[in-house]
């Protein structure tokens, strides 16, 4: 830390006016994977712009907390920086008995549970609660005899290579040899000690290398194992600080039990009381196909059990996912009976209505309970039945066109990527025609927690949901409870009186059904992904402005009718293009007052930072910072980072951040291409054996293509998905224009170049993909599957200069 005297560096975004010296300093910081914590000005003089000169760097992100800028001392013009250093935090060790599920005797467990389930459960048919109790008793009894238990010390660094008996014998022998040498001072004994010591070092190094490779191999499918290993190397531990008990007098909690009590009270306070108001009148829907009850058989249940990820945490019922997966063929029989009884009677076992809440910090003041998000953990067995019910319900809604075409959340054939492609195509087309666009980002007030159960069931009934399913959903929603857990402390249970339960499968699907009629109320374009809602309109004249304001009023009225209020303070308006009409819009607050919607130049839209100029500079800085942060974790954690280990970790943990939504923020300027490529360039230098090579040669040794090549390859994959109807045809229709003239050379799916006057439009997805797609041969574009297309495209582009040299152009 100190006064570095670099005032032009913008530490919060990538938009810098830095000199060559400052740019070199930024590169040095990034190459060292350091975190800079100061974001507010630290020096100010009269008639001068305040600047950030005093900087604090750490190699771990959470090493600092409570950073404050205070008044200078004496005549100094530099602020005092006050902060808390969290280095080497010690936590209380708690010893507890813990089952070792990875060492369980599952053959014996399978034999013990291969019993006559018909005689046990059939007499209780129609009582899912009693049947589930019988299953739990039998399963817990069998697990106690077949799953070994060991004493486990919590909060210890247990993620390390295991020691086998031979290694322990060698270590004991090394200790004895050292003791004998100290006693006798015999040089022969010392040589024996050195030989034994070197053997142990070689063996432990080999074990560490093998262990790290196993972690890297599982990083893609089970990232939890990687992060457990990475966190075991940290000098700091992220924890919840003392929280405000009362926001007015700033009284703080004193222990973990008080923390969970405060968080539990806050999470429960957001729910709304049951309303007896008259329900809104709904227009009768044309149900072309009646909903059928889901067919539940042992094969379907067994399939779902086999698909369970064993790294998941057990729910409130305590049944470990590894047990469910290993015993899928045996447990499918009793679970099928329990599921059928639950659906037939419309009753849900009480254990399936309990959620364990883990508080996760979002942003802002860590002492404020409002800045924590509740993450629910529910029973895994319950989620299997929820998947079966939801699959049937969503199929019914889609077959009868009851879901909005503008809803992209949790639906097959729709994704954040295709939504942003459609939206960006619309926006850039308007800007290309010289027409500005006003975008309204709508934000619900605790959307998932405030959905009225009465209103939701009213809509589902109107959609023609089968009465058995409707009764089951009703019982699933009512009488739910939740408990907040943190650091071996638990709160008292609190009733969940509203909302669709988060952490469940049926919750999000119920929500998209609840808001499905929202776009029908307006004339402007509306796009939704679950509760993320944006509305926009081309503003040619004042009439368009007035119509957009009327649409906001209509959405506001809809929210009042359905008791799902918008949060005016979080709703934003953004203007694209040069508009002569200012983006001034109003929305009604819950107290009846009309307030202005705040104007914004930067908003996060489905994980992508959208700016009013569509330059995406801030987004590129954000993803580069995120990727550098993960690379810093890898470098700090892994001792033996060879070619294979690096490849596995980079592809699983770093590259996805650099490629998420890249069809939207595709960098085409030289400085932006360099900025993104520098992340991969810096990362490849961490492999010692190829550090001396230049970037292109490092990529060849790693068989790793440039990010620029990957972006063009990703474009072609998206075009293939659109033209071959991998995405929902309803939303991609007309997005890409096929050529009518089939007599020209080339394949049968050639595209027409769309008009582009401005740079943003020329580099948008629907325009830039035309030339490279048209240059592909017939055998590539007519591949039967996406995987086959990727393989054939890689083979066809195998000799592209851009493959390992990002400065080269794509040769068509």
């Amino acid at each position: 830390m100190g006064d570095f005297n670099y005032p032009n560096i913008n530490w919060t975004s990538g938009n810098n006016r830095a000199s060559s010296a400052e740019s070199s300093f930024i590169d040095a910081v990034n190459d060292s994977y350091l975190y800079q914590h100061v974001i507010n000005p630290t020096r100010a003089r009269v008639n001068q712009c305040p600047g950030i000169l005093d900087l604090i760097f750490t190699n771990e992100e959470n090493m600092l907390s409570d950073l404050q800028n205070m008044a200078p001392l004496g005549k100094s013009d530099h602020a005092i920086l006050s902060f808390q250093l969290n280095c080497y935090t010690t936590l209380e060790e708690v010893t507890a008995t813990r089952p070792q599920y990875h060492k369980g005797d599952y053959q014996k467990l399978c034999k013990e549970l291969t019993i006559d389930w018909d005689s046990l459960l059939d007499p209780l048919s129609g009582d899912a609660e009693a049947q589930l109790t019988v299953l739990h008793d039998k399963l817990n009894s069998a697990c106690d005899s077949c799953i070994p238990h060991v004493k486990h010390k919590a909060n210890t660094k247990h993620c390390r290579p295991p020691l086998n008996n031979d290694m322990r014998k060698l270590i004991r022998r090394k200790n004895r040899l050292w003791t004998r040498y100290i006693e006798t001072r015999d040089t022969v004994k010392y040589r024996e000690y050195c030989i034994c010591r070197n053997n142990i070092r070689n063996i432990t190094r080999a074990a560490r290398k093998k262990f790290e490779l196993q972690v890297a191999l599982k990083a893609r499918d089970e990232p939890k194992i990687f992060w457990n290993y990475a966190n075991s190397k940290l000098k700091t531990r992220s924890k919840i600080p003392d929280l405000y008990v009362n926001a007015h007098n700033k009284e703080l909690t004193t222990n973990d039990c008080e923390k969970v009590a405060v968080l539990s009270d806050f999470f429960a306070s957001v729910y709304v009381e049951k309303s007896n108001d008259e329900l809104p009148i709904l227009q009768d829907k044309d149900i072309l196909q009646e909903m059928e009850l889901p067919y539940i058989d042992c094969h379907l249940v067994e399939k779902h059990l086999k698909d369970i990820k064993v790294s998941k945490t057990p729910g409130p019922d305590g049944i470990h996912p590894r047990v469910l997966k290993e015993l899928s063929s045996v447990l499918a029989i009793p679970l099928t009976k329990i599921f059928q009884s639950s659906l037939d009677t419309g009753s849900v076992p009480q254990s399936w209505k309990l959620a364990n809440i883990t508080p996760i910090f979002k942003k802002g003041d860590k002492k404020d309970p409002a800045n924590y998000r509740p993450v629910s953990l529910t029973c895994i067995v319950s989620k299997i039945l929820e998947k079966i019910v939801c699959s049937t319900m969503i199929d019914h809604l889609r077959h009868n066109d009851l879901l909005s075409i503008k809803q992209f959340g949790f639906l097959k054939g729709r994704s954040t990527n295709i939504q942003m492609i459609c939206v960006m195509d619309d926006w850039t087309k308007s800007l290309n025609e010289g027409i500005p666009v006003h975008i309204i980002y709508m934000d619900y007030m605790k959307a998932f927690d405030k959905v009225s159960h009465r209103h939701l069931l009213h809509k589902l009934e109107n959609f023609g949901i089968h009465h058995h399913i409707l009764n089951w959903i009703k019982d699933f929603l009512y009488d739910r409870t939740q408990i907040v857990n943190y650091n071996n402390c638990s709160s008292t249970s609190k009733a969940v009186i509203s909302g669709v339960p988060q952490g469940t499968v049926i919750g999000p699907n119920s929500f998209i059904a609840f808001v499905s009629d929202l776009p029908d109320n307006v004339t402007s374009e509306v796009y939704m992904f679950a509760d993320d809602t944006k509305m926009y309109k081309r503003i040619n004249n004042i009439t368009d402005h007035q119509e957009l304001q009327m649409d906001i009023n209509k959405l506001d009225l809809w929210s009042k009718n359905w008791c799902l209020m918008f949060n005016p303070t979080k709703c934003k308006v953004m203007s694209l293009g040069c508009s002569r009409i200012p983006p001034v819009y109003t929305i009604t607050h819950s107290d009846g007052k009309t307030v202005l919607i705040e104007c914004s130049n930067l908003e996060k839209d489905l994980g992508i930072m959208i700016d009013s100029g569509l330059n995406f500079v801030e987004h590129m800085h954000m993803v580069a910072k995120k990727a550098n942060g993960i690379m810093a974790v890898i470098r700090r954690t892994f001792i033996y980072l060879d070619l294979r280990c690096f490849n596995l970790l980079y592809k699983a943990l770093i590259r996805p951040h650099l490629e998420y939504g890249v069809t939207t923020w595709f960098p085409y300027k030289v400085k932006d291409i360099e900025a993104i490529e520098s992340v991969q360039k810096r990362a490849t230098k961490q492999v010692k054996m190829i550090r001396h090579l230049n970037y292109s040669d490092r990529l060849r040794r790693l068989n790793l293509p440039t990010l620029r090549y990957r972006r063009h390859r990703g474009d072609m994959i998206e075009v293939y998905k659109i033209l071959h109807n991998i995405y929902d045809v309803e939303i991609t229709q007309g997005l890409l224009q096929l050529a009518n003239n089939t007599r020209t050379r080339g394949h049968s799916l050639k595209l027409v170049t769309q008009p582009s006057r401005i740079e943003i439009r020329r580099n948008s997805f629907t325009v830039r993909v035309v030339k490279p797609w048209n240059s592909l041969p017939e055998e590539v574009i007519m591949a039967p599957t996406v995987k086959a297309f990727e393989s054939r495209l890689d083979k066809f582009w195998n000799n592209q200069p851009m493959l390992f040299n990002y400065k080269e152009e794509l040769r068509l």
Side-chain angles (χ1 to χ4, degrees):
M1 54 188 172
D3 179 3
F4 288 82
N5 203 25
Y6 288 130
N8 294 322
I9 297 177
N10 189 334
W11 292 102
T12 57
S13 72
N15 208 355
N16 289 308
R17 298 179 290 105
S19 63
S20 58
E22 289 168 328
S23 297
S24 299
F25 178 70
I26 294 172
D27 291 338
V29 171
N30 290 333
D31 290 342
S32 301
Y33 293 104
L34 297 176
Y35 297 92
Q36 202 289 111
H37 297 269
V38 183
I39 57 174
N40 295 318
T42 62
R43 177 180 178 270
R45 281 184 174 179
V46 180
N47 300 325
Q48 287 187 5
C49 182
I52 303 177
L53 303 186
D54 305 280
L55 310 175
I56 302 175
F57 296 94
T58 63
N59 64 343
E60 290 183 15
E61 191 172 8
N62 296 318
M63 197 172 281
L64 253 65
S65 62
D66 295 332
L67 178 63
Q68 298 177 15
N69 287 34
M70 304 172 68
L73 281 176
K75 294 183 178 180
S76 173
D77 54 3
H78 286 259
I80 296 174
L81 296 179
S82 169
F83 58 89
Q84 181 174 335
L85 188 65
N86 302 324
C87 193
Y88 301 104
T89 302
T90 57
L91 297 177
E92 180 184 357
E93 291 187 358
V94 180
T95 304
T97 303
R98 180 177 175 178
Q100 291 185 302
Y101 289 99
H102 62 287
K103 293 184 177 180
D105 187 351
Y106 290 103
Q107 288 186 347
K108 179 182 176 183
L109 190 58
C110 188
K111 288 180 180 178
E112 289 196 13
L113 291 174
T114 306
I115 55 181
D116 186 5
W117 290 105
D118 293 340
S119 60
L120 286 173
L121 300 181
D122 285 351
L124 302 172
S125 180
D127 190 348
E129 184 81 59
Q131 290 178 325
L132 189 63
T133 301
V134 171
L135 175 62
H136 279 181
D137 291 342
K138 292 291 183 182
L139 185 59
N140 291 335
S141 176
C143 286
D144 288 340
S145 61
C146 300
I147 306 294
H149 288 66
V150 295
K151 285 187 177 181
H152 169 73
K153 286 187 177 181
N155 303 326
T156 57
K157 297 181 179 180
H158 58 278
C159 294
R160 56 190 179 191
L163 297 175
N164 56 36
N165 290 332
D166 293 336
M167 293 168 69
R168 290 190 178 92
K169 288 179 182 178
L170 275 175
I171 293 171
R172 288 195 294 269
R173 184 168 183 271
K174 183 197 75 168
N175 295 335
R176 287 196 302 270
L177 289 171
W178 175 255
T179 302
R180 290 172 186 171
Y181 165 68
I182 292 297
E183 292 172 350
T184 62
R185 298 294 178 178
D186 187 354
T187 55
V188 175
K189 296 295 182 185
Y190 182 73
R191 283 195 297 270
E192 290 181 7
Y193 163 77
C194 290
I195 293 171
C196 185
R197 177 199 62 192
N198 294 341
N199 286 338
I200 291 174
R201 184 177 60 182
N202 293 334
I203 292 171
T204 53
R205 284 182 177 179
R208 169 74 65 178
K209 189 173 183 180
K210 182 180 178 181
F211 176 78
E212 291 185 348
L213 179 60
Q214 291 301 315
V215 173
L217 286 167
K218 297 176 181 178
R220 184 184 295 275
D221 298 325
E222 298 180 43
K224 188 176 180 180
I225 296 175
F226 166 82
W227 288 111
N228 284 340
Y229 181 51
N231 290 335
S232 71
K233 297 293 190 77
L234 289 176
K235 294 183 176 67
T236 60
R237 294 289 182 272
S238 59
K239 61 177 184 178
I240 298 176
D242 291 332
L243 302 171
Y244 296 131
V245 178
N246 192 321
H248 300 291
N249 57 21
K250 302 296 183 181
E251 180 186 351
L252 294 173
T253 58
T254 58
N255 54 54
D256 290 338
C257 292
E258 290 184 4
K259 291 177 188 177
V260 295
V262 168
L263 288 167
S264 180
D265 289 340
F266 173 75
F267 294 152
S269 68
V270 302
Y271 298 122
V272 292
E273 295 288 342
K274 183 178 178 181
S275 172
N276 293 320
D277 296 340
E278 188 176 348
L279 293 169
I281 299 174
L282 288 168
Q283 184 180 358
D284 291 336
K285 300 292 183 180
D286 294 329
I287 308 299
L288 303 177
Q289 184 177 340
E290 294 293 330
M291 182 178 179
E292 296 181 358
L293 282 174
Y295 176 70
I296 303 175
D297 64 349
C298 290
H299 298 293
L300 178 62
V301 176
E302 184 178 351
K303 178 181 178 298
H304 283 294
L305 289 171
K306 287 181 177 178
D307 291 340
I308 292 174
K309 291 185 178 181
V310 297
S311 60
K312 295 291 184 181
T313 305
D317 58 0
I319 301 178
H320 198 277
R322 184 183 286 273
V323 173
L324 293 172
K325 185 165 187 171
E326 295 284 352
L327 305 178
S328 56
S329 58
V330 175
L331 295 180
I333 299 170
L335 286 177
T336 301
K337 294 180 178 293
I338 295 170
F339 292 165
Q340 195 63 57
S341 294
S342 180
L343 282 181
D344 290 343
T345 60
S347 62
V348 178
Q350 197 59 41
S351 62
W352 293 357
K353 299 183 182 184
L354 174 64
N356 288 335
I357 302 293
T358 301
I360 302 295
F361 175 69
K362 295 185 291 185
K363 60 181 179 179
D365 186 0
K366 283 192 173 184
K367 297 178 182 178
D368 188 354
N371 292 329
Y372 288 84
R373 176 186 290 112
V375 176
S376 301
L377 189 66
T378 57
C379 296
I380 298 173
V381 172
S382 170
K383 291 180 181 178
I384 296 175
L385 180 54
E386 291 174 54
K387 286 180 182 178
I388 297 171
V389 171
C390 280
S391 176
T392 306
M393 185 174 74
I394 293 298
D395 286 345
H396 168 75
L397 295 176
R398 296 194 76 169
H399 288 158
N400 291 283
D401 293 327
L402 299 173
L403 289 177
S404 172
I405 193 176
K406 301 299 183 180
Q407 176 62 260
F408 286 72
F410 313 108
L411 296 173
K412 186 178 179 182
R414 306 185 188 184
S415 65
T416 56
N417 202 30
I418 191 61
Q419 185 193 116
M420 291 308 298
I421 288 175
C422 294
V423 169
M424 284 298 296
D425 180 62
D426 217 3
W427 291 349
T428 56
K429 194 179 294 183
S430 297
L431 297 179
N432 191 65
E433 297 170 4
I435 304 173
V437 179
H438 287 180
I439 310 165
I440 312 293
Y441 284 99
M442 309 296 290
D443 188 274
Y444 293 103
M445 195 180 295
K446 299 290 183 182
F448 281 77
D449 295 326
K450 290 185 178 291
V451 172
S452 166
H453 293 162
R454 286 180 66 239
H455 289 72
L456 172 60
L457 294 169
H458 179 49
K459 275 198 176 179
L460 293 179
E461 185 179 9
N462 182 253
F463 288 154
I465 302 298
H466 197 285
H467 65 276
H468 276 298
I469 299 296
L470 203 62
N471 291 335
W472 188 87
I473 294 175
K474 181 179 179 179
D475 195 60
F476 185 85
L477 294 174
Y478 285 14
D479 300 324
R480 297 190 68 88
T481 55
Q482 63 184 28
I483 296 174
V484 178
N485 298 307
Y486 172 70
N487 203 18
N488 298 311
C489 291
S490 301
S491 68
T492 57
S493 62
K494 295 281 186 179
V496 180
I497 59 176
S498 69
V500 290
Q502 299 184 57
T504 64
V505 179
I506 205 166
N509 287 279
S510 300
F511 184 86
I512 65 172
F514 185 70
V515 299
S516 61
D517 62 332
L518 183 143
D520 300 337
N521 294 273
V522 298
T523 58
S524 302
E525 289 292 333
V526 176
Y527 280 86
M528 299 183 294
F529 192 93
D531 62 324
D532 290 324
T533 304
K534 56 180 169 283
M535 178 171 64
Y536 64 88
K537 193 176 187 67
R538 295 183 174 196
I539 307 298
N540 285 298
N541 47 49
I542 192 64
T543 304
D544 294 331
H545 179 275
Q546 293 170 349
E547 288 179 355
L548 184 54
Q549 178 60 64
M550 290 173 61
D551 286 338
I552 296 173
N553 297 338
K554 290 176 182 177
L555 291 188
D556 205 18
L557 179 62
W558 180 94
S559 70
K560 289 181 175 62
N561 289 338
W562 292 102
C563 301
L564 188 64
M565 303 299 293
F566 289 109
N567 188 348
T569 59
K570 291 187 177 181
C571 293
K572 307 290 182 183
V573 57
M574 182 185 292
S575 176
L576 303 181
C578 299
S579 176
R580 292 175 296 177
I581 303 172
V584 179
Y585 299 93
T586 61
I587 191 169
T588 306
H589 205 278
S590 56
D591 58 5
K593 294 181 180 179
T594 300
V595 295
L596 282 175
I597 299 177
E598 184 182 347
C599 192
S600 173
N601 292 321
L602 182 67
E603 283 298 312
K604 197 170 188 178
D605 190 350
L606 300 183
I608 300 174
M609 302 299 292
I610 305 290
D611 58 89
S612 55
L614 297 184
N615 296 314
F616 301 105
V617 174
E618 287 80 3
H619 181 76
M620 293 180 208
H621 175 74
M622 182 190 73
V623 296
K625 183 178 179 181
K626 180 69 175 178
N628 281 332
I630 298 176
M631 189 61 227
V633 173
I634 293 173
R635 189 180 76 157
R636 184 179 63 240
T637 304
F638 285 76
I639 300 173
Y640 303 103
L641 199 61
D642 58 11
L643 296 177
R644 186 184 181 193
C645 194
F646 173 83
N647 241 323
L648 291 165
L649 293 170
Y650 178 79
K651 291 178 180 179
L653 301 170
I654 299 176
R655 196 166 68 182
H657 289 284
L658 298 169
E659 294 183 342
Y660 169 73
V662 74
T663 50
T664 300
W665 57 272
F666 192 94
Y668 56 89
K669 296 178 181 178
V670 174
K671 64 174 184 177
D672 295 334
I673 295 172
E674 290 273 1
I676 296 299
E677 203 71 39
S678 67
V679 179
Q680 182 165 282
K681 187 185 297 186
R682 185 177 299 112
T684 54
K685 286 183 181 179
Q686 305 310 311
V687 185
K688 292 181 180 179
M689 62 185 69
I690 60 172
R691 186 178 295 171
H692 63 285
L693 302 175
N694 62 42
Y695 181 46
S696 296
D697 290 338
R698 293 200 299 271
L699 293 182
R700 287 187 176 89
R701 287 289 302 275
L702 290 163
N703 194 25
L704 200 66
T706 64
L707 293 173
R708 191 180 183 192
Y709 170 84
R710 289 275 304 177
R711 289 193 291 271
H712 286 286
R713 177 181 182 271
D715 277 351
M716 297 300 98
I717 294 171
E718 292 300 323
V719 176
Y720 176 88
K721 289 180 179 179
I722 293 170
L723 296 182
H724 288 264
N725 300 332
I726 306 297
Y727 287 124
D728 193 334
V729 181
E730 285 185 294
I731 59 177
T732 59
Q733 192 171 12
L735 192 61
L736 297 172
Q737 299 178 17
L738 291 174
N740 294 325
N741 188 1
T742 58
R743 298 179 183 177
T744 57
R745 294 180 181 179
H747 55 73
S748 56
L749 294 177
K750 295 191 73 172
L751 301 175
V752 176
T753 304
Q754 301 185 32
S756 54
R757 180 180 58 87
I758 59 176
E759 189 178 39
I760 294 175
R761 179 61 179 170
R762 281 196 298 272
N763 290 281
S764 65
F765 172 79
T766 52
V767 177
R768 69 172 183 264
V769 300
V770 173
K771 192 174 180 181
W773 175 262
N774 289 345
S775 68
L776 297 178
E778 182 79 15
E779 62 269 16
V780 174
I781 65 103
M782 295 308 293
T785 63
V786 176
K787 288 291 183 183
F789 174 78
E790 292 174 359
S791 177
R792 295 181 188 183
L793 180 65
D794 288 338
K795 186 176 181 181
F796 180 69
W797 276 1
N798 189 43
N799 296 321
Q800 283 284 349
M802 189 191 290
L803 187 62
F804 299 118
N805 187 352
Y806 71 94
K807 295 182 179 180
E808 294 284 346
E809 295 295 329
L810 191 69
R811 296 183 183 177
L812 306 175

